[in-house]
Amino acid sequence: MQLPAELQFLEDYLTDPNDQYKKAEWLLSKFDSSTWEYSFDFVTPNSLSWDVELSDYSLLTDPKHCKLLQSLKCWLIASTLPTSGTGFSNGLTTQYRSFLTTLLLIDYLLINNDRFQLHRFGLAGLNSDDLRSILESLSRNART
């Protein structure tokens, strides 16, 4: 539905909540693409391939992993959005930092997908002990 100019401020409230996590100013590709082109004011856009092999030798982009892939993509976008209700916006530099942090967590999950059984349970298979272990491991090996 196209709103008149004087009502554009309502657009965020009328958008399907699922749709708000499928677009970002830095995302240059369609959400459903298996390779994303993105730019945080880079001279040349970067790419991110979601064609990752899981421990069952299937790809993350296979239809059977649709829910897991959608969750990871939405998580990455959501991590760069300003916190709703704060009244603050975040610039591309802040968004990029959040993007990199979330991407580090996603990479960790995918690298350790056999341990977490992502191919069988998706993110639903993670429990509080797994999350604690992930945070401990990343904090021990932090580069920043």
Side-chain angles (χ1 to χ4, degrees):
M1 172 173 127
Q2 185 64 29
L3 294 172
E6 62 273 8
L7 297 178
Q8 285 297 316
F9 70 95
L10 293 174
E11 188 170 2
D12 287 342
Y13 299 102
L14 300 175
T15 302
D16 181 348
N18 293 323
D19 290 342
Q20 75 181 13
Y21 301 116
K22 292 186 176 183
K23 59 186 175 192
E25 69 179 288
W26 49 264
L27 181 59
L28 307 176
S29 304
K30 292 186 184 283
F31 178 84
D32 293 324
S33 297
S34 63
T35 300
W36 277 5
E37 295 291 321
Y38 65 92
S39 178
F40 292 88
D41 270 348
F42 303 149
V43 173
T44 305
N46 287 346
S47 62
L48 170 64
S49 176
W50 294 101
D51 289 317
V52 177
E53 187 176 292
L54 299 177
S55 55
D56 68 345
Y57 304 106
S58 65
L59 294 176
L60 179 59
T61 54
D62 286 354
K64 69 179 182 175
H65 301 301
C66 178
K67 188 174 181 179
L68 173 61
L69 178 59
Q70 295 267 335
S71 298
L72 296 175
K73 287 179 170 183
C74 288
W75 178 22
L76 189 55
I77 289 174
S79 74
T80 67
L81 298 176
T83 306
S84 58
T86 63
F88 295 107
S89 65
N90 57 349
L92 283 177
T93 302
T94 303
Q95 289 178 43
Y96 186 51
R97 245 181 271 131
S98 297
F99 175 90
L100 291 176
T101 301
T102 305
L103 199 55
L104 175 70
L105 291 166
I106 290 171
D107 281 347
Y108 186 88
L109 289 172
L110 293 173
I111 288 167
N112 294 284
N113 74 78
D114 188 39
R115 174 179 158 203
F116 299 121
Q117 297 288 298
L118 293 178
H119 64 281
R120 292 182 64 204
F121 306 113
L123 297 177
L126 296 173
N127 60 39
S128 61
D129 289 336
D130 292 329
L131 298 176
R132 187 175 299 111
S133 171
I134 291 167
L135 291 174
E136 287 173 0
S137 177
L138 291 175
S139 66
R140 275 193 305 270
N141 299 311
R143 294 183 204 158
T144 57

